[in-house]
Amino acid sequence: MTARQPSRSQSDQSQPKAAKAPAFLPGPADEAASAPPARSRPRRAASHGVRPAPPLTPEDRERLLTGSHHDPHALLGAHTVRGGVALRILRPYAQGVTVVAKGLRAELHDEGEGLFSGVLPALRTVPDYKLLVTYDDTELELHDPYRFLPSLGELDLHLIGEGRHEELWKALGAERTVHQDVTGTRFTVWAPNARGVRIAGDFNYWDGTGLPMRSLGGSGVWELFLPGVGEGALYKFDITRPDGSHTMRADPMARRTEVPPANASIVTASHHVWHDGEWMAGRAGRPVHEAPLSIYEVHLASWRPGLTYRQLAAQLPSYVKDLGFTHVELMPVAEHPFGGSWGYQVTGFYAPTSRMGTPDDFRYLIDALHRAGIGVIVDWVPAHFPKDDWALAEFDGRPLYEHTDPERAAHPDWGTLEFDYGRKEIRNFLVANAVYWCQEFHIDGLRVDAVASMLYLDYSREHGEWSPNVNGGRENLDAVAFLQEMNATVYRRCPGVVTIAEESTAWDGVTRATHHVGPGGFGGLGFGLKWNMGWMHDSLEYVSKEPVHRKYHHNEMTFSMVYAYSENYVLPISHDEVVHGKQALVSKMPGDWWQQRANHRAYLGFMWAHPGKQLLFMGQEFAQGAEWSEGHGPDWWLLDPSYSAEPDHRGVRDLVRDLNTAYTASPALWQRDTVPEGFAWVDGDAAEDNVFAFLRFAADGAPLLSVSNFSPVVRHEYRLGVPQQFAAWTEVLNTDAARYGGSDVLNPDPLKPESVPAHGRPASLQLTLPPLATVWLRPT
């Protein structure tokens, strides 16, 4: 489970600071630039021939001005009436409003409180009109937002209502568009409990009075098209709650945000031109569990602190490629208010964090990694969200994204809220979000965080703090259905993408297909891979022991093979294992500095040879001794030759490079990761010797022998049984080599098998086992 920090309160940041009046911009931004500071203005006489429009009822007027009207377009804009066309305009702070069209110029009557109206005689149809709005000595020509038809189609509304809109981000949020031949931005938001919704932004001094949105029927969606509002505009939704109070909320579907702690949403559009066509065309060519997968886990903000996405693109791909990793895994990049949460408390699920640049800057980084031949996996957090009062919590005045049952809504560990997976619109929000990252940013994999906390109703809850499901069990059936739908949708829409579960229990069928029902009666969850948390905990427990005590813990290194083929596994040494007092990987090892590094190297050699893909967190590739901190990142200075002429840290990094090179070149280490035929123990019972020896097999039967000696003594003429048909075995990797910082106890010459039975095989080798080292041998 991923470590978290409590979310910092952002209540004092919930309202953006009033911006200085911008330069004249088209549309509502012009209005903001010129709007006087007070709404009360002297009334002006109307143009000759324009008679007053029938007044609004007191109820409609109040609802309109307080932001509680569900259909402002019925009151505002132009409508044909007996004897002409009636217009009503809501322009707070304006001194006057004149309607202009071909052959027409008519000044409207001032009704007070920003309302202007009139009936234009002798018109049978609504003309293509504009507004001249006067503020003090400034007159602006503007489009009227209330003359436009709804900009969201019936199919979109139907799919939203069904909870099946797989490209939801194209229907909700802020979409730069051309509507009825006018360029502007369509704003849409789902707020079914709201009495009214208005748009506030830097284009109207954060006063949404003049921009109420319309409700689109029973969908719960509110919409307004704003002509002239373009990229870079800041906005929020001013929501009138059921009790009549107001709350200013960031857009749940925002695709760009301000840099925290500011939290307004930003209108954006992508202009990035992708250059990774070759990568995208080829990534689906081979199932991921039958391909090499070696993952370098990165916290982008601290890998090289201070770098932007584009600066990272100039450094990260070449570093990862040089070390031979096939993929990077990025800790969450979705927007989050508190940097100390490492991204695991998300408020902007559709927005890459703005701390390092724009969404297109992030695309540029992904593009650069792909062009370097590096796949990109992103941590995705659908398990919970923070309680910040400008974000998702009680978004429209009532529980909406969270469960309506307080016991089900509050996460007991992290001070956050859990999603209501039983509500179709919430499932849609999350499923579409998974598709969004893969489709819009060309992400190659999603590592889904904290799956166990989603699957169990009693997760971290005591007796009496949870209620069983309809079958009397502890399984969260809604979460199961959501994960199955998410996986099925992602795999169908995004060929070549892999989903990976961080699931810390023995839930049956995490990586089984959704249509295959297991012994527990559930279909598989449909993930491609699962983190092997059991292997991680057991193996780290073993290597942390002094060698003299390891024989009593031997089974902790062999037990993983009892269940190795129950799921498709990744072996993770992740950020969670090197923070909060757990120590860096090398610092977990016993002994002096030489022994710690030797143990570290031997463990990596064992890990790379063990069935399953592997993941290593940044800094561990060069045996950083200090725990990771998001404040300063890896200790890169340890690699500087001026710090030490010895290969202490550079040697470990060289080993990781060679491990990846040999791994990728050895199908035996990855081709049959998920089937028993790909593995065989040679000697899994040498507890007294602290030795583990096993064979890995490629699809064509070609073997690789891995031998790990976790004792500090050299073992000469150590006999191991091997397949008989090979003439000689050659050492292809030895973690004790001098260039890695080892004692250079090697097997330099090819080893010829002898016809001496051993370990149930008719032939055997005698080799030298270096101290605290792993050796790989391949037949010739």
Side-chain angles (χ1 to χ4, degrees):
M1 189 138 334
T2 303
R4 287 165 174 81
Q5 300 291 336
S7 174
R8 181 177 63 182
S9 172
Q10 295 287 312
S11 58
D12 60 334
Q13 303 287 344
S14 62
Q15 304 295 337
K17 295 180 180 178
K20 294 182 179 179
F24 289 128
L25 300 171
D30 289 341
E31 178 183 345
S34 306
R39 187 179 297 174
S40 177
R41 295 290 174 198
R43 299 196 180 188
R44 300 177 56 169
S47 299
H48 179 72
V50 177
R51 70 176 188 267
L56 297 174
T57 66
E59 180 187 12
D60 276 344
R61 185 182 181 97
E62 179 184 7
R63 289 170 61 202
L64 184 63
L65 295 176
T66 59
S68 300
H69 205 290
H70 72 286
D71 189 13
H73 289 69
L75 308 179
L76 301 175
H79 304 273
T80 56
V81 296
R82 183 186 297 272
V85 172
L87 285 102
R88 180 167 280 108
I89 307 299
L90 178 56
R91 291 283 159 171
Y93 314 116
Q95 288 181 313
V97 175
T98 299
V99 178
V100 293
K102 185 177 182 180
L104 171 69
R105 183 183 180 97
E107 188 172 354
L108 302 181
H109 292 265
D110 186 349
E111 296 183 342
E113 297 185 280
L115 285 166
F116 299 84
S117 72
V119 176
L120 308 182
L123 293 178
R124 295 185 178 180
T125 59
V126 176
D128 184 10
Y129 68 93
K130 288 188 178 181
L131 305 176
L132 297 178
V133 184
T134 303
Y135 297 108
D136 289 334
D137 58 350
T138 301
E139 187 174 69
L140 305 176
E141 183 176 277
L142 309 168
H143 286 283
D144 179 11
Y146 297 92
R147 78 172 180 86
F148 293 90
L149 296 170
S151 54
L152 199 62
E154 290 298 323
L155 178 58
D156 286 314
L157 292 174
H158 172 76
L159 292 173
I160 291 171
E162 292 288 315
R164 297 289 181 181
H165 203 307
E166 295 177 358
E167 293 185 323
L168 188 65
W169 66 94
K170 294 183 178 180
L172 296 181
E175 181 77 8
R176 186 80 167 133
T177 188
V178 176
H179 183 46
Q180 294 178 214
D181 297 324
V182 175
T183 299
T185 297
R186 180 195 68 204
F187 292 90
T188 46
V189 63
W190 180 63
N193 298 309
R195 287 175 56 182
V197 183
R198 303 185 290 197
I199 301 173
D202 60 354
F203 40 79
N204 62 0
Y205 273 120
W206 297 100
D207 180 355
T209 305
L211 296 176
M213 305 175 74
R214 67 176 139 208
S215 173
L216 298 180
S219 64
V221 175
W222 300 76
E223 178 267 356
L224 185 63
F225 173 72
L226 291 187
V229 171
E231 291 184 55
L234 306 181
Y235 71 98
K236 282 192 175 186
F237 295 114
D238 176 3
I239 296 175
T240 306
R241 299 183 178 104
D243 64 1
S245 63
H246 285 255
T247 179
M248 195 79 81
R249 297 291 174 139
D251 184 358
M253 303 292 298
R255 285 171 284 160
R256 185 182 172 191
T257 70
E258 287 188 290
V259 178
N263 51 49
S265 304
I266 303 177
V267 177
T268 189
S270 177
H271 303 283
H272 180 74
V273 178
W274 290 94
H275 297 91
D276 64 348
E278 183 179 353
W279 171 271
M280 295 296 288
R283 71 178 184 181
R286 182 165 53 189
V288 68
H289 60 281
E290 297 176 2
L293 185 67
S294 180
I295 305 168
Y296 183 60
E297 189 189 20
V298 178
H299 181 252
L300 279 179
S302 66
W303 185 73
R304 299 272 189 180
L307 296 189
T308 66
Y309 289 128
R310 289 182 180 266
Q311 290 168 334
L312 284 163
Q315 298 186 33
L316 182 61
S318 58
Y319 182 81
V320 176
K321 185 177 181 65
D322 174 66
L323 289 185
F325 288 97
T326 66
H327 288 68
V328 293
E329 180 176 315
L330 309 180
M331 291 169 66
V333 296
E335 193 60 272
H336 50 284
F338 179 43
S341 77
W342 310 333
Y344 291 98
Q345 294 193 359
V346 178
T347 50
F349 282 80
Y350 284 79
T353 180
S354 54
R355 290 170 173 85
M356 292 167 283
T358 68
D360 269 359
D361 293 336
F362 182 59
R363 289 181 175 92
Y364 184 87
L365 171 60
I366 305 304
D367 209 347
L369 286 160
H370 282 173
R371 285 183 281 115
I374 307 298
V376 182
I377 299 165
V378 167
D379 276 15
W380 185 56
V381 192
H384 64 134
F385 58 92
K387 297 179 180 179
D388 300 75
D389 60 7
W390 50 266
L392 297 182
E394 293 193 355
F395 180 74
D396 58 5
R398 290 179 181 166
L400 187 65
Y401 288 86
E402 66 270 42
H403 204 283
T404 54
D405 180 351
E407 286 189 356
R408 293 278 298 274
H411 198 290
D413 286 345
W414 304 318
T416 53
L417 297 170
E418 297 183 15
F419 283 102
D420 183 359
Y421 306 108
R423 185 161 189 166
K424 62 182 183 296
E425 297 93 343
I426 304 307
R427 287 202 308 273
N428 194 174
F429 174 81
L430 293 170
V431 170
N433 186 241
V435 174
Y436 170 77
W437 288 102
C438 300
Q439 190 166 308
E440 292 291 322
F441 293 97
H442 291 196
I443 298 302
D444 305 296
L446 298 172
R447 177 269 196 183
V448 183
D449 180 62
V451 171
S453 76
M454 302 164 63
L455 290 175
Y456 297 99
L457 296 169
D458 62 345
Y459 183 86
S460 282
R461 293 176 171 88
E462 301 296 331
H463 179 72
E465 295 179 345
W466 63 282
S467 300
N469 62 35
V470 293
N471 301 320
R474 56 196 283 254
E475 301 86 3
N476 187 336
L477 303 180
D478 293 334
V480 171
F482 155 66
L483 291 170
Q484 291 173 330
E485 180 182 347
M486 181 277 297
N487 280 313
T489 305
V490 167
Y491 278 105
R492 171 171 50 82
R493 292 189 63 102
C494 308
V497 166
V498 62
T499 60
I500 306 170
E502 185 212 23
E503 202 284 310
S504 55
T505 73
W507 182 279
D508 178 60
V510 173
T511 59
R512 190 170 58 233
T514 57
H515 60 280
H516 288 165
V517 178
F522 295 100
L525 295 184
F527 285 94
L529 298 167
K530 170 183 171 174
W531 275 19
N532 193 335
M533 312 292 277
W535 172 88
M536 178 191 70
H537 289 299
D538 289 347
S539 62
L540 289 178
E541 179 71 15
Y542 175 86
V543 294
S544 68
K545 303 296 183 184
E546 291 286 348
V548 68
H549 300 303
R550 284 175 174 167
K551 62 183 178 181
Y552 303 111
H553 300 270
H554 194 80
N555 66 314
E556 291 175 1
M557 291 287 268
T558 60
F559 181 67
S560 59
M561 291 312 302
V562 173
Y563 60 86
Y565 306 109
S566 60
E567 303 281 3
N568 303 334
Y569 283 116
V570 174
L571 312 179
I573 300 299
S574 72
H575 64 277
D576 272 337
E577 305 313 309
V578 296
V579 290
H580 297 330
K582 293 183 180 179
Q583 300 181 303
L585 181 58
V586 72
S587 298
K588 299 176 190 287
M589 307 298 176
D592 58 24
W593 176 230
W594 190 95
Q595 292 172 324
Q596 284 183 309
R597 286 183 294 115
N599 275 293
H600 182 101
R601 295 191 304 268
Y603 180 74
L604 292 180
F606 174 83
M607 171 183 173
W608 254 251
H610 191 284
K613 314 309 179 182
Q614 55 275 338
L615 175 145
L616 192 65
F617 183 59
M618 63 184 195
Q620 312 316 300
E621 78 274 17
F622 59 85
Q624 173 174 314
E627 286 189 334
W628 169 63
S629 165
E630 76 276 2
H632 66 256
D635 292 330
W636 296 109
W637 54 272
L638 294 172
L639 296 170
D640 190 339
S642 64
Y643 163 71
S644 173
E646 300 299 321
D648 289 14
H649 299 280
R650 297 188 305 280
V652 175
R653 187 178 64 175
D654 290 344
L655 170 65
V656 170
R657 181 188 296 111
D658 291 351
L659 281 169
N660 278 326
T661 300
Y663 166 79
T664 305
S666 304
L669 293 178
W670 43 262
Q671 209 167 47
R672 302 167 92 183
D673 260 338
T674 59
V675 292
E677 294 79 9
F679 176 92
W681 282 113
V682 173
D683 192 350
D685 298 320
E688 292 292 333
D689 297 337
N690 297 346
V691 169
F692 304 88
F694 54 83
L695 289 160
R696 299 294 309 279
F697 298 97
D700 63 1
L704 183 141
L705 174 64
S706 175
V707 188
S708 296
N709 175 22
F710 284 101
S711 66
V713 299
V714 179
R715 301 193 181 278
H716 298 281
E717 298 182 347
Y718 200 85
R719 187 173 293 279
L720 293 170
V722 292
Q724 189 175 24
Q725 67 267 35
F726 301 105
W729 293 71
T730 303
E731 189 175 89
V732 294
L733 185 134
N734 186 325
T735 67
D736 191 51
R739 64 182 181 278
Y740 306 143
S743 58
D744 217 28
V745 175
L746 309 175
N747 294 275
D749 300 319
L751 301 173
K752 295 183 179 181
E754 301 174 6
S755 297
V756 178
H759 304 111
R761 290 180 171 80
S764 58
L765 299 176
Q766 279 191 315
L767 63 157
T768 300
L769 300 187
L772 300 174
T774 293
V775 176
W776 293 357
L777 300 104
R778 184 183 296 140
T780 57

